[in-house]
Amino acid sequence: MPTDVEKILEAMRAGQTIHFADLRRVCDHYFGTPRIRGSHHIYRTPWPGDPRVNIQKDGNDAKRYQVRQVLAAIDRIESHRTE
């Protein structure tokens, strides 16, 4: 049975609109506690540079380009786990 994080990831990969709280739940799971600077939630990654994990609200939803950046970072983490 998929977890909440897995369900949100499926929706993200399907290109659905994602609530900011759900994106934050996924980021917290993969990257830990964020540094919050104003409206930006900045997550530390195990590598320097891009893909960066910096998210912020767009109303109640996550910004689409930031959802794509989070997916790229998760894919990078997952690819290193399987090597």
Side-chain angles (χ1 to χ4, degrees):
M1 178 186 262
T3 65
D4 286 344
V5 169
E6 289 169 338
K7 288 178 186 176
I8 298 166
L9 276 174
E10 286 176 17
M12 290 168 64
R13 292 190 191 284
Q16 296 176 13
T17 299
I18 304 299
H19 290 286
F20 179 78
D22 290 337
L23 183 61
R24 183 160 179 204
R25 184 176 297 133
V26 168
C27 288
D28 288 351
H29 174 81
Y30 279 95
F31 307 110
T33 304
R35 218 173 7 124
I36 300 174
R37 297 288 181 260
S39 64
H40 294 263
H41 291 66
I42 305 159
Y43 290 88
R44 186 172 288 205
T45 57
W47 58 80
D50 291 326
R52 294 186 182 135
V53 179
N54 176 6
I55 63 173
Q56 59 191 138
K57 285 184 179 182
D58 186 12
N60 287 327
D61 297 328
K63 294 185 176 190
R64 289 186 184 271
Y65 80 93
Q66 291 175 344
V67 170
R68 289 190 300 271
Q69 289 174 345
V70 168
L71 285 172
I74 290 170
D75 289 345
R76 185 170 178 180
I77 286 173
E78 293 296 328
S79 71
H80 282 62
R81 288 183 183 166
T82 60
E83 290 178 354

